[in-house]
Amino acid sequence: MAKKKNEQLQLDLEQTRERIIEADFVETMRKNYLDYSMSVIVSRAVPDVRDGLKPVQRRILYDMSELGTASDKPYRKSARIVGDTMGKYHPHGDSSIYGAMTVMAQDFKGNVPLVDGHGNFGSIEGDGAAAMRYTEARLTRFTEDVYLEGLKEDTIDLIPNFDATENEASVLPCKLPMALINGSEGIAVGMTTSIPPHNLRETIDAALYFEQHRGASTEELLEILKGPDFPTGGVVANREELADIYETGEGRIRIRGKVEIEKMKGGKSALVITEIPYTMVGQGIEKFLLDVASLVESKILTQISDISNQSSREGIRLVLELKHGADEDAERIKNILYKKTKLEDTFPVSNLVISDGKPAIMSLKDMLDAFWNFQYEVTTRRTRHLLGKARARAEVVDGLILAVDVIDTIIAVLRGSSNVAQAKKCLMTGNTEGINIKTKIARSQAEKFRFSEAQATAILEMRLSKLIGLEIKALMSEQKELKKKIDHLELMLSDDGVMFKSIADELLRIRDTYGTDRKTLITTEAPAQIEVVEEPETEVVVLMDRFAYVHSIDAAVYEKNKEACDTEFKSVIHTTNRSKVVAFTDTGHMYSIKTSEIPAGKLRDKGQPLDNISGYDSRSENLVGLFPVSGEGHLVFITTDGLAKAVPFSEFDISRKISDATKLKEGARVLSVFVFNEKAQVILHTAAGFFARLDQAEITPKLRNTMGAILITLNDGDELDMAVPVSGASSPFEYGGKEYSADRIKLLKRKTKGVKARL
């Protein structure tokens, strides 16, 4: 029994080994990641150059056409459309589908909305759309005309959906280069697409010119297609760089909002922003207003007295009211807004599209070439489909006309046949066997019948009303029209010039029907420059309270209130309005701060938190010192591990906003920073209760990027928790909330362990 079990176990082990596939881990990860990346790029994030749509957008439009949500039909609930799309074509969650449908309904995201939304579909200021159960939608007339017409005429391939239960469109038979007209944005794996929108009328004109002048340069095309045309309007300020951007398919477009100066009541003026940069769509408007308010508070824009958002359904209107007389400085104010806010921004261009199933960055000419290749393909397939239908109908009409001439014989055959199949066989082959035809003449004529199957079927289904004279004339007229149509379709397939004219006529019809005037101004303007008006250098005093709130006052005000300032404030720093101060934290960082960035105020003003001005993180580091910038002398650094050093002030790089002030051992922090004075002393205290008083001359001078030397020797687990500079033995110092004389602490030498003292 045991032997059989062992044999079975051995057999199972061998079978298991046969199922194990050995693979290189790195190679497997690389292949799987590449497969995933390509899936995201091709199937989700990047538009197809042929119809300018991402898969989710294409599936929504295709599903809406299948649902019958036409532009002349009632709106359907968005939830119905989203659910149907998700269940049939796009099993990636309802939020992504509804988000894509919302964008296609917003006229501020694309030049031509593809979905007609009914209800709250969001706003240009960043308000989100209502839940899908509340909103409704249907197709726009433009979408039906440009994207869906010809969908049932074998113009594109249908492919199985994700579970092979439905067919979906591999691409829509789009008649326009919509990747250019509506643009596209998407983030894939390792690459992004960012195509700016363009004017429909200009794009069609450029496409027609390109097909007729294949050797045209990018500069020639830009004479027609001026550049981006954003739905929000605004100004493109770097026209001289556009040729290179459209030649390579990559670059950065500098865009600005449109600012006008308006006169107001009372003699005041206002800067009114009526068009915003495309990049400001969404929360950008609110952030812009907050940025302007911040510039006013920091006294960079002192000429603005009021800020208001007066935007409505009629358009954007952001009003910055100016103080009396400030309109003379309007250009400088505009330049500050361009420089300091998102009123001037850059739009990154990356014409990344899917072409022949692969991602590719395309130039303007590449995209127009792909457009025409697709148009010829779609038009050829449609022409062949229509030609097949016309020929089939012509065959039937020819048969009906011929049948009218021998209708008496056909009636005789029908009356004498025992069933439809027998009569149909006679019509197709002339076989009269078994058919009771009363006259020899009729039988002789019937034996000559050679109608096709389609003709025979049509004859058998023909109504007697077709024998009326007018009906016969209609058939003959239809026969004539069908011959013209067949000749034209055959000519289109054989002559590229005729096909081009057919496509061009359709493009011109669409241009005249849906074309709009350009919204965005294309110009050349230098980047905004702020003329620096330096204030005269004056002496100021920076005050910091025990809560690390800082503000500055005039030196004369300090002199009048010197005693109160020295008593009430933790730090009193004498400097100038053009100088800097430096802040040190216990993590060993130094923060350089312009004095002009510190709010000026009155003596009793609260000021602003130093961490807000300097940028240090008060949650993870603590302030240990604030000092004026000086090129002379040394600063003393004492750390919690008992090390100390004196660093020359010239060692610190005050040009950087943040830099390392000292090197620290792991786990150590800076305890105290103060100005070195070899005639003064320092009092130390450890967490274990040891005191020491040392001459500052004992502190070793060192460079900034080194650790300090041992100042006091600590027992294991002990650390310094106080390091206070004093001017001499009789100087007071504070400990435990009380004040003591320095001579209460024994004067010791460097590397001492300290002494226990009762205070």
Side-chain angles (χ1 to χ4, degrees), residues 58 161 317 342 348 366 443 445 461 498 531 640 654:
R58 185 180 305 114
N161 69 338
R317 183 176 171 83
K342 291 292 184 180
D366 291 337
R443 182 176 294 277
Q445 288 180 338
E461 294 174 352
V498 176
E531 183 183 347
T640 54
I654 63 169

Side-chain angles (χ1 to χ4, degrees), residues 477-492:
S477 176
E478 184 181 0
Q479 184 186 45
K480 195 174 181 180
E481 291 300 320
L482 283 169
K483 188 178 184 310
K484 287 182 181 178
K485 184 176 183 179
I486 290 169
D487 290 344
H488 176 69
L489 293 173
E490 288 176 340
L491 184 60
M492 279 183 65

Side-chain angles (χ1 to χ4, degrees), residues 721-737:
D721 62 5
M722 185 182 82
V724 180
V726 292
S727 58
S730 60
S731 299
F733 74 95
E734 187 176 305
Y735 172 73

Side-chain angles (χ1 to χ4, degrees), residues 400-421:
L400 291 175
I401 292 173
L402 183 59
V404 169
D405 292 337
V406 291
I407 191 64
D408 293 334
T409 304
I410 291 173
I411 291 173
V413 170
L414 294 177
R415 293 182 66 182
S417 299
S418 57
N419 53 56
V420 174

Side-chain angles (χ1 to χ4, degrees), residues 580 582 590 592-594 629 652-659:
K580 291 183 176 182
V582 287
M590 183 190 82
S592 179
I593 309 159
K594 292 180 181 178
V629 169
F652 301 109
D653 183 6
I654 63 169
S655 65
R656 299 176 62 186
K657 187 77 174 175
I658 176 175
S659 59

